[in-house]
């Protein structure tokens, strides 16, 4: 009977770990895989700086289907932001900033409700020792946060938080 309890415990533990790491697995949806691969290429540690061609290709993909692509792009960017490589994190911030400034308003309005935004808020905390991004480029993180909160002024309806500033 003791073996049966330990086996049940291990199966429960395996199920919980599988669920926790589900978002880091390869996406099953081909469209999500294409967007995820695109984010991976745009945030590759092999790049010396932002690849604006790749960044704007992603912006075009988002603008062509904002409701179908936003959550998929947020998940891919969150995975890139959580990588330990500081260069990848900074490229992710540059990609996110390009998307916020150039995508349809739906993109940055929905960003405020995503898990990616929660990671952005954590990364921008001034005294957080865990995030290498916050230590290396707090101004970059805060600039992206500011752009998301204020949105594009030229967009219909102003920014995500109208009337602030």
């Amino acid at each position: 009977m003791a073996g049966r309890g330990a086996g049940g415990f291990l199966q429960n533990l395996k199920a919980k770990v599988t669920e926790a790491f589900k978002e880091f697995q390869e996406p099953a949806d081909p469209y999500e895989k294409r967007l995820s691969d695109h984010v991976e290429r745009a945030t590759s540690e092999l790049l010396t700086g932002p690849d604006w061609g790749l960044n704007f290709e992603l912006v075009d993909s988002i603008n062509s289907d904002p409701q179908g692509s936003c959550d998929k792009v947020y998940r891919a960017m969150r995975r890139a932001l959580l990588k330990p490589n500081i260069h990848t994190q900074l490229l992710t911030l540059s990609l996110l900033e390009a998307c916020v400034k150039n995508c349809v308003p739906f993109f940055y309005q929905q960003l405020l409700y995503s898990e990616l935004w929660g990671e952005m808020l954590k990364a921008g905390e001034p005294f957080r020792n865990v995030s290498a991004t916050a230590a290396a480029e707090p101004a970059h993180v805060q600039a992206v946060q500011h752009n998301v909160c204020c949105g594009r002024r030229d967009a219909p309806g102003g920014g995500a938080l109208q009337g602030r500033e």
Side-chain angles (χ1 to χ4, degrees):
M1 219 170 179
R4 193 180 272 179
F9 171 76
L10 290 176
Q11 287 176 341
N12 273 344
L13 181 62
K14 180 181 177 184
K16 288 179 183 178
V17 168
T18 301
E19 184 64 29
F21 286 99
K22 191 176 186 179
E23 97 175 56
F24 293 101
Q25 295 173 350
E26 285 293 317
D29 176 19
Y31 183 58
E32 183 170 0
K33 173 123 175 69
R34 185 173 65 83
L35 291 171
S36 181
D37 289 346
H38 199 106
V39 170
E40 284 290 320
R41 286 194 320 272
T43 60
S44 170
E45 62 189 52
L46 301 176
L47 294 173
T48 57
D51 183 333
W52 296 112
L54 283 173
N55 291 358
F56 285 109
E57 283 178 28
L58 185 63
V59 167
D60 289 341
S61 295
I62 293 168
N63 285 340
S64 67
D65 181 22
Q67 293 183 346
S69 61
C70 287
D71 287 336
K72 296 167 177 58
V73 170
Y74 298 151
R75 279 193 293 274
M77 284 187 183
R78 183 170 181 256
R79 282 192 298 269
L81 189 64
L82 292 175
K83 290 183 179 177
N85 185 312
I86 182 90
H87 187 65
T88 299
Q89 292 172 346
L90 292 174
L91 289 172
T92 304
L93 291 174
S94 295
L95 177 60
L96 180 60
E97 187 171 25
C99 290
V100 166
K101 288 182 175 182
N102 297 289
C103 286
V104 295
F106 183 81
F107 179 84
Y108 57 82
Q109 290 166 349
Q110 292 301 307
L111 177 62
L112 297 173
Y113 301 103
S114 72
E115 290 181 2
L116 175 60
W117 183 247
E119 292 300 325
M120 287 290 301
L121 293 176
K122 289 178 193 175
E125 291 175 2
F127 299 110
R128 186 165 182 235
N129 294 329
V130 178
S131 175
T133 305
E137 283 291 335
H140 197 165
V141 172
Q142 291 168 355
V144 174
Q145 290 173 350
H146 176 77
N147 286 331
V148 170
C149 288
C150 295
R152 292 188 340 234
R153 294 290 177 209
D154 62 334
L161 300 176
Q162 283 182 302
R164 304 264 169 120
E165 252 192 282

mmCIF file of all heavy atoms in Angstrom, residues 32-70:
data_model
loop_
_atom_site.group_PDB
_atom_site.id
_atom_site.type_symbol
_atom_site.label_atom_id
_atom_site.label_comp_id
_atom_site.label_asym_id
_atom_site.label_seq_id
_atom_site.Cartn_x
_atom_site.Cartn_y
_atom_site.Cartn_z
ATOM 1 N N GLU A 32 0.893 29.467 -34.362
ATOM 2 C CA GLU A 32 1.631 29.856 -33.162
ATOM 3 C C GLU A 32 3.096 29.466 -33.280
ATOM 4 O O GLU A 32 3.979 30.214 -32.863
ATOM 5 C CB GLU A 32 1.016 29.217 -31.915
ATOM 6 C CG GLU A 32 1.689 29.650 -30.633
ATOM 7 C CD GLU A 32 0.963 29.239 -29.383
ATOM 8 O OE1 GLU A 32 -0.090 28.601 -29.459
ATOM 9 O OE2 GLU A 32 1.465 29.586 -28.293
ATOM 10 N N LYS A 33 3.374 28.312 -33.867
ATOM 11 C CA LYS A 33 4.770 27.885 -34.065
ATOM 12 C C LYS A 33 5.500 28.868 -34.971
ATOM 13 O O LYS A 33 6.642 29.239 -34.694
ATOM 14 C CB LYS A 33 4.797 26.483 -34.677
ATOM 15 C CG LYS A 33 6.179 26.015 -35.077
ATOM 16 C CD LYS A 33 6.558 24.740 -34.429
ATOM 17 C CE LYS A 33 7.872 24.202 -34.892
ATOM 18 N NZ LYS A 33 9.012 24.975 -34.473
ATOM 19 N N ARG A 34 4.833 29.324 -36.037
ATOM 20 C CA ARG A 34 5.465 30.284 -36.965
ATOM 21 C C ARG A 34 5.771 31.596 -36.240
ATOM 22 O O ARG A 34 6.877 32.141 -36.359
ATOM 23 C CB ARG A 34 4.546 30.532 -38.157
ATOM 24 C CG ARG A 34 5.154 31.419 -39.217
ATOM 25 C CD ARG A 34 4.298 31.521 -40.460
ATOM 26 N NE ARG A 34 3.029 32.176 -40.244
ATOM 27 C CZ ARG A 34 2.855 33.508 -40.236
ATOM 28 N NH1 ARG A 34 3.889 34.299 -40.411
ATOM 29 N NH2 ARG A 34 1.664 34.027 -40.039
ATOM 30 N N LEU A 35 4.813 32.087 -35.448
ATOM 31 C CA LEU A 35 5.051 33.329 -34.707
ATOM 32 C C LEU A 35 6.138 33.141 -33.647
ATOM 33 O O LEU A 35 6.990 34.011 -33.452
ATOM 34 C CB LEU A 35 3.754 33.808 -34.045
ATOM 35 C CG LEU A 35 2.672 34.312 -35.001
ATOM 36 C CD1 LEU A 35 1.377 34.553 -34.235
ATOM 37 C CD2 LEU A 35 3.114 35.575 -35.715
ATOM 38 N N SER A 36 6.112 31.990 -32.982
ATOM 39 C CA SER A 36 7.126 31.701 -31.963
ATOM 40 C C SER A 36 8.520 31.619 -32.579
ATOM 41 O O SER A 36 9.489 32.158 -32.032
ATOM 42 C CB SER A 36 6.770 30.394 -31.257
ATOM 43 O OG SER A 36 7.696 30.102 -30.262
ATOM 44 N N ASP A 37 8.627 30.962 -33.733
ATOM 45 C CA ASP A 37 9.916 30.885 -34.430
ATOM 46 C C ASP A 37 10.397 32.275 -34.841
ATOM 47 O O ASP A 37 11.590 32.577 -34.777
ATOM 48 C CB ASP A 37 9.811 29.991 -35.666
ATOM 49 C CG ASP A 37 9.674 28.517 -35.317
ATOM 50 O OD1 ASP A 37 9.931 28.155 -34.152
ATOM 51 O OD2 ASP A 37 9.298 27.737 -36.214
ATOM 52 N N HIS A 38 9.454 33.108 -35.244
ATOM 53 C CA HIS A 38 9.794 34.469 -35.647
ATOM 54 C C HIS A 38 10.360 35.250 -34.451
ATOM 55 O O HIS A 38 11.379 35.943 -34.575
ATOM 56 C CB HIS A 38 8.548 35.167 -36.197
ATOM 57 C CG HIS A 38 8.873 36.355 -37.018
ATOM 58 N ND1 HIS A 38 8.760 36.358 -38.379
ATOM 59 C CD2 HIS A 38 9.335 37.575 -36.676
ATOM 60 C CE1 HIS A 38 9.139 37.532 -38.837
ATOM 61 N NE2 HIS A 38 9.483 38.288 -37.821
ATOM 62 N N VAL A 39 9.719 35.124 -33.298
ATOM 63 C CA VAL A 39 10.216 35.801 -32.088
ATOM 64 C C VAL A 39 11.580 35.235 -31.708
ATOM 65 O O VAL A 39 12.485 35.988 -31.331
ATOM 66 C CB VAL A 39 9.207 35.671 -30.925
ATOM 67 C CG1 VAL A 39 9.804 36.154 -29.614
ATOM 68 C CG2 VAL A 39 7.928 36.439 -31.246
ATOM 69 N N GLU A 40 11.753 33.922 -31.828
ATOM 70 C CA GLU A 40 13.051 33.302 -31.527
ATOM 71 C C GLU A 40 14.158 33.873 -32.408
ATOM 72 O O GLU A 40 15.244 34.181 -31.923
ATOM 73 C CB GLU A 40 12.981 31.776 -31.706
ATOM 74 C CG GLU A 40 12.285 31.054 -30.586
ATOM 75 C CD GLU A 40 13.079 31.073 -29.303
ATOM 76 O OE1 GLU A 40 14.317 30.924 -29.332
ATOM 77 O OE2 GLU A 40 12.441 31.256 -28.250
ATOM 78 N N ARG A 41 13.886 34.009 -33.706
ATOM 79 C CA ARG A 41 14.898 34.565 -34.619
ATOM 80 C C ARG A 41 15.182 36.030 -34.296
ATOM 81 O O ARG A 41 16.328 36.476 -34.357
ATOM 82 C CB ARG A 41 14.430 34.433 -36.073
ATOM 83 C CG ARG A 41 14.495 33.029 -36.618
ATOM 84 C CD ARG A 41 14.350 32.961 -38.133
ATOM 85 N NE ARG A 41 13.364 33.849 -38.710
ATOM 86 C CZ ARG A 41 12.074 33.562 -38.878
ATOM 87 N NH1 ARG A 41 11.614 32.388 -38.503
ATOM 88 N NH2 ARG A 41 11.248 34.434 -39.436
ATOM 89 N N ALA A 42 14.146 36.787 -33.955
ATOM 90 C CA ALA A 42 14.326 38.216 -33.674
ATOM 91 C C ALA A 42 15.015 38.470 -32.343
ATOM 92 O O ALA A 42 15.542 39.559 -32.123
ATOM 93 C CB ALA A 42 12.962 38.921 -33.699
ATOM 94 N N THR A 43 15.030 37.476 -31.453
ATOM 95 C CA THR A 43 15.655 37.653 -30.141
ATOM 96 C C THR A 43 16.845 36.708 -29.950
ATOM 97 O O THR A 43 17.265 36.470 -28.826
ATOM 98 C CB THR A 43 14.624 37.427 -29.015
ATOM 99 O OG1 THR A 43 14.104 36.095 -29.096
ATOM 100 C CG2 THR A 43 13.498 38.429 -29.081
ATOM 101 N N SER A 44 17.383 36.211 -31.036
ATOM 102 C CA SER A 44 18.502 35.279 -30.964
ATOM 103 C C SER A 44 19.723 35.950 -30.347
ATOM 104 O O SER A 44 20.057 37.092 -30.675
ATOM 105 C CB SER A 44 18.854 34.788 -32.367
ATOM 106 O OG SER A 44 20.065 34.065 -32.341
ATOM 107 N N GLU A 45 20.402 35.216 -29.492
ATOM 108 C CA GLU A 45 21.610 35.763 -28.867
ATOM 109 C C GLU A 45 22.740 35.938 -29.871
ATOM 110 O O GLU A 45 23.742 36.597 -29.580
ATOM 111 C CB GLU A 45 22.058 34.885 -27.700
ATOM 112 C CG GLU A 45 22.427 33.480 -28.083
ATOM 113 C CD GLU A 45 22.657 32.590 -26.882
ATOM 114 O OE1 GLU A 45 21.784 32.535 -26.012
ATOM 115 O OE2 GLU A 45 23.721 31.959 -26.840
ATOM 116 N N LEU A 46 22.581 35.390 -31.071
ATOM 117 C CA LEU A 46 23.602 35.532 -32.118
ATOM 118 C C LEU A 46 23.540 36.897 -32.805
ATOM 119 O O LEU A 46 24.489 37.290 -33.471
ATOM 120 C CB LEU A 46 23.449 34.422 -33.152
ATOM 121 C CG LEU A 46 23.567 32.991 -32.607
ATOM 122 C CD1 LEU A 46 23.298 31.979 -33.713
ATOM 123 C CD2 LEU A 46 24.922 32.767 -31.977
ATOM 124 N N LEU A 47 22.429 37.607 -32.643
ATOM 125 C CA LEU A 47 22.308 38.936 -33.241
ATOM 126 C C LEU A 47 23.144 39.939 -32.451
ATOM 127 O O LEU A 47 23.220 39.865 -31.223
ATOM 128 C CB LEU A 47 20.844 39.392 -33.238
ATOM 129 C CG LEU A 47 19.870 38.605 -34.107
ATOM 130 C CD1 LEU A 47 18.445 39.083 -33.863
ATOM 131 C CD2 LEU A 47 20.233 38.760 -35.573
ATOM 132 N N THR A 48 23.753 40.880 -33.150
ATOM 133 C CA THR A 48 24.532 41.912 -32.460
ATOM 134 C C THR A 48 23.651 43.062 -31.992
ATOM 135 O O THR A 48 24.023 43.807 -31.102
ATOM 136 C CB THR A 48 25.644 42.470 -33.374
ATOM 137 O OG1 THR A 48 25.036 42.968 -34.565
ATOM 138 C CG2 THR A 48 26.642 41.372 -33.720
ATOM 139 N N GLY A 49 22.502 43.208 -32.610
ATOM 140 C CA GLY A 49 21.547 44.248 -32.248
ATOM 141 C C GLY A 49 20.199 43.882 -32.822
ATOM 142 O O GLY A 49 20.059 42.840 -33.476
ATOM 143 N N PRO A 50 19.194 44.706 -32.611
ATOM 144 C CA PRO A 50 17.870 44.392 -33.140
ATOM 145 C C PRO A 50 17.885 44.274 -34.662
ATOM 146 O O PRO A 50 18.511 45.074 -35.347
ATOM 147 C CB PRO A 50 17.004 45.585 -32.710
ATOM 148 C CG PRO A 50 17.750 46.233 -31.594
ATOM 149 C CD PRO A 50 19.203 45.959 -31.838
ATOM 150 N N ASP A 51 17.214 43.265 -35.180
ATOM 151 C CA ASP A 51 17.045 43.095 -36.614
ATOM 152 C C ASP A 51 15.692 43.707 -36.962
ATOM 153 O O ASP A 51 14.649 43.083 -36.786
ATOM 154 C CB ASP A 51 17.085 41.607 -36.985
ATOM 155 C CG ASP A 51 16.989 41.365 -38.476
ATOM 156 O OD1 ASP A 51 16.395 42.214 -39.190
ATOM 157 O OD2 ASP A 51 17.499 40.330 -38.942
ATOM 158 N N TRP A 52 15.718 44.944 -37.442
ATOM 159 C CA TRP A 52 14.484 45.688 -37.660
ATOM 160 C C TRP A 52 13.631 45.064 -38.748
ATOM 161 O O TRP A 52 12.398 45.154 -38.703
ATOM 162 C CB TRP A 52 14.793 47.154 -37.947
ATOM 163 C CG TRP A 52 15.440 47.789 -36.758
ATOM 164 C CD1 TRP A 52 16.726 48.223 -36.660
ATOM 165 C CD2 TRP A 52 14.856 48.013 -35.472
ATOM 166 N NE1 TRP A 52 16.969 48.697 -35.400
ATOM 167 C CE2 TRP A 52 15.835 48.583 -34.637
ATOM 168 C CE3 TRP A 52 13.591 47.766 -34.932
ATOM 169 C CZ2 TRP A 52 15.604 48.927 -33.314
ATOM 170 C CZ3 TRP A 52 13.359 48.108 -33.608
ATOM 171 C CH2 TRP A 52 14.358 48.677 -32.822
ATOM 172 N N GLY A 53 14.247 44.393 -39.703
ATOM 173 C CA GLY A 53 13.474 43.690 -40.725
ATOM 174 C C GLY A 53 12.607 42.601 -40.118
ATOM 175 O O GLY A 53 11.412 42.497 -40.392
ATOM 176 N N LEU A 54 13.223 41.779 -39.241
ATOM 177 C CA LEU A 54 12.468 40.731 -38.555
ATOM 178 C C LEU A 54 11.409 41.337 -37.640
ATOM 179 O O LEU A 54 10.285 40.837 -37.564
ATOM 180 C CB LEU A 54 13.408 39.847 -37.731
ATOM 181 C CG LEU A 54 14.237 38.823 -38.475
ATOM 182 C CD1 LEU A 54 15.234 38.155 -37.544
ATOM 183 C CD2 LEU A 54 13.349 37.784 -39.117
ATOM 184 N N ASN A 55 11.778 42.396 -36.933
ATOM 185 C CA ASN A 55 10.831 43.027 -36.010
ATOM 186 C C ASN A 55 9.600 43.532 -36.754
ATOM 187 O O ASN A 55 8.466 43.325 -36.312
ATOM 188 C CB ASN A 55 11.501 44.165 -35.249
ATOM 189 C CG ASN A 55 12.541 43.677 -34.252
ATOM 190 O OD1 ASN A 55 12.752 42.481 -34.088
ATOM 191 N ND2 ASN A 55 13.202 44.606 -33.591
ATOM 192 N N PHE A 56 9.815 44.171 -37.898
ATOM 193 C CA PHE A 56 8.673 44.724 -38.621
ATOM 194 C C PHE A 56 7.894 43.658 -39.387
ATOM 195 O O PHE A 56 6.709 43.846 -39.662
ATOM 196 C CB PHE A 56 9.105 45.892 -39.501
ATOM 197 C CG PHE A 56 9.366 47.123 -38.680
ATOM 198 C CD1 PHE A 56 10.651 47.598 -38.501
ATOM 199 C CD2 PHE A 56 8.327 47.772 -38.048
ATOM 200 C CE1 PHE A 56 10.885 48.721 -37.713
ATOM 201 C CE2 PHE A 56 8.547 48.891 -37.252
ATOM 202 C CZ PHE A 56 9.829 49.372 -37.088
ATOM 203 N N GLU A 57 8.533 42.539 -39.707
ATOM 204 C CA GLU A 57 7.770 41.414 -40.256
ATOM 205 C C GLU A 57 6.778 40.907 -39.215
ATOM 206 O O GLU A 57 5.630 40.581 -39.542
ATOM 207 C CB GLU A 57 8.704 40.278 -40.669
ATOM 208 C CG GLU A 57 9.427 40.496 -41.971
ATOM 209 C CD GLU A 57 10.361 39.347 -42.291
ATOM 210 O OE1 GLU A 57 10.105 38.200 -41.851
ATOM 211 O OE2 GLU A 57 11.368 39.592 -42.995
ATOM 212 N N LEU A 58 7.221 40.831 -37.958
ATOM 213 C CA LEU A 58 6.331 40.408 -36.884
ATOM 214 C C LEU A 58 5.216 41.428 -36.677
ATOM 215 O O LEU A 58 4.054 41.058 -36.479
ATOM 216 C CB LEU A 58 7.105 40.191 -35.579
ATOM 217 C CG LEU A 58 6.277 39.620 -34.423
ATOM 218 C CD1 LEU A 58 5.757 38.232 -34.761
ATOM 219 C CD2 LEU A 58 7.098 39.583 -33.152
ATOM 220 N N VAL A 59 5.546 42.713 -36.735
ATOM 221 C CA VAL A 59 4.527 43.765 -36.633
ATOM 222 C C VAL A 59 3.483 43.576 -37.731
ATOM 223 O O VAL A 59 2.277 43.653 -37.460
ATOM 224 C CB VAL A 59 5.176 45.171 -36.722
ATOM 225 C CG1 VAL A 59 4.134 46.247 -36.933
ATOM 226 C CG2 VAL A 59 5.987 45.466 -35.466
ATOM 227 N N ASP A 60 3.925 43.294 -38.962
ATOM 228 C CA ASP A 60 2.986 43.070 -40.066
ATOM 229 C C ASP A 60 2.099 41.856 -39.804
ATOM 230 O O ASP A 60 0.902 41.879 -40.092
ATOM 231 C CB ASP A 60 3.731 42.898 -41.389
ATOM 232 C CG ASP A 60 4.347 44.194 -41.895
ATOM 233 O OD1 ASP A 60 3.905 45.274 -41.439
ATOM 234 O OD2 ASP A 60 5.267 44.129 -42.730
ATOM 235 N N SER A 61 2.691 40.783 -39.255
ATOM 236 C CA SER A 61 1.902 39.583 -38.937
ATOM 237 C C SER A 61 0.841 39.892 -37.891
ATOM 238 O O SER A 61 -0.301 39.439 -38.001
ATOM 239 C CB SER A 61 2.802 38.464 -38.417
ATOM 240 O OG SER A 61 3.693 38.033 -39.397
ATOM 241 N N ILE A 62 1.219 40.656 -36.880
ATOM 242 C CA ILE A 62 0.270 41.008 -35.825
ATOM 243 C C ILE A 62 -0.833 41.897 -36.385
ATOM 244 O O ILE A 62 -2.015 41.688 -36.102
ATOM 245 C CB ILE A 62 0.990 41.706 -34.653
ATOM 246 C CG1 ILE A 62 1.938 40.730 -33.952
ATOM 247 C CG2 ILE A 62 -0.019 42.282 -33.659
ATOM 248 C CD1 ILE A 62 2.903 41.385 -32.990
ATOM 249 N N ASN A 63 -0.455 42.883 -37.187
ATOM 250 C CA ASN A 63 -1.443 43.810 -37.736
ATOM 251 C C ASN A 63 -2.411 43.126 -38.703
ATOM 252 O O ASN A 63 -3.549 43.564 -38.846
ATOM 253 C CB ASN A 63 -0.760 44.987 -38.426
ATOM 254 C CG ASN A 63 -0.182 45.957 -37.418
ATOM 255 O OD1 ASN A 63 -0.579 45.987 -36.255
ATOM 256 N ND2 ASN A 63 0.771 46.754 -37.862
ATOM 257 N N SER A 64 -1.977 42.050 -39.349
ATOM 258 C CA SER A 64 -2.863 41.359 -40.282
ATOM 259 C C SER A 64 -3.915 40.521 -39.556
ATOM 260 O O SER A 64 -4.988 40.285 -40.095
ATOM 261 C CB SER A 64 -2.065 40.486 -41.247
ATOM 262 O OG SER A 64 -1.452 39.424 -40.557
ATOM 263 N N ASP A 65 -3.622 40.078 -38.324
ATOM 264 C CA ASP A 65 -4.579 39.288 -37.541
ATOM 265 C C ASP A 65 -4.344 39.544 -36.054
ATOM 266 O O ASP A 65 -3.847 38.674 -35.343
ATOM 267 C CB ASP A 65 -4.425 37.804 -37.867
ATOM 268 C CG ASP A 65 -5.399 36.928 -37.100
ATOM 269 O OD1 ASP A 65 -6.441 37.439 -36.646
ATOM 270 O OD2 ASP A 65 -5.108 35.724 -36.955
ATOM 271 N N PRO A 66 -4.686 40.739 -35.560
ATOM 272 C CA PRO A 66 -4.366 41.065 -34.173
ATOM 273 C C PRO A 66 -5.048 40.160 -33.146
ATOM 274 O O PRO A 66 -4.418 39.756 -32.174
ATOM 275 C CB PRO A 66 -4.818 42.517 -34.006
ATOM 276 C CG PRO A 66 -5.614 42.852 -35.191
ATOM 277 C CD PRO A 66 -5.347 41.831 -36.241
ATOM 278 N N GLN A 67 -6.291 39.817 -33.361
ATOM 279 C CA GLN A 67 -6.994 39.006 -32.364
ATOM 280 C C GLN A 67 -6.490 37.576 -32.323
ATOM 281 O O GLN A 67 -6.507 36.947 -31.283
ATOM 282 C CB GLN A 67 -8.493 39.054 -32.611
ATOM 283 C CG GLN A 67 -9.051 40.435 -32.348
ATOM 284 C CD GLN A 67 -10.550 40.511 -32.503
ATOM 285 O OE1 GLN A 67 -11.167 39.611 -33.040
ATOM 286 N NE2 GLN A 67 -11.118 41.602 -32.028
ATOM 287 N N GLY A 68 -6.001 37.076 -33.447
ATOM 288 C CA GLY A 68 -5.500 35.712 -33.478
ATOM 289 C C GLY A 68 -4.041 35.580 -33.092
ATOM 290 O O GLY A 68 -3.577 34.494 -32.753
ATOM 291 N N SER A 69 -3.295 36.674 -33.131
ATOM 292 C CA SER A 69 -1.848 36.564 -32.929
ATOM 293 C C SER A 69 -1.337 37.127 -31.606
ATOM 294 O O SER A 69 -0.273 36.718 -31.154
ATOM 295 C CB SER A 69 -1.114 37.254 -34.075
ATOM 296 O OG SER A 69 -1.449 38.619 -34.128
ATOM 297 N N CYS A 70 -2.055 38.042 -30.989
ATOM 298 C CA CYS A 70 -1.522 38.731 -29.808
ATOM 299 C C CYS A 70 -1.113 37.776 -28.689
ATOM 300 O O CYS A 70 0.017 37.827 -28.212
ATOM 301 C CB CYS A 70 -2.507 39.761 -29.289
ATOM 302 S SG CYS A 70 -2.607 41.214 -30.342
#
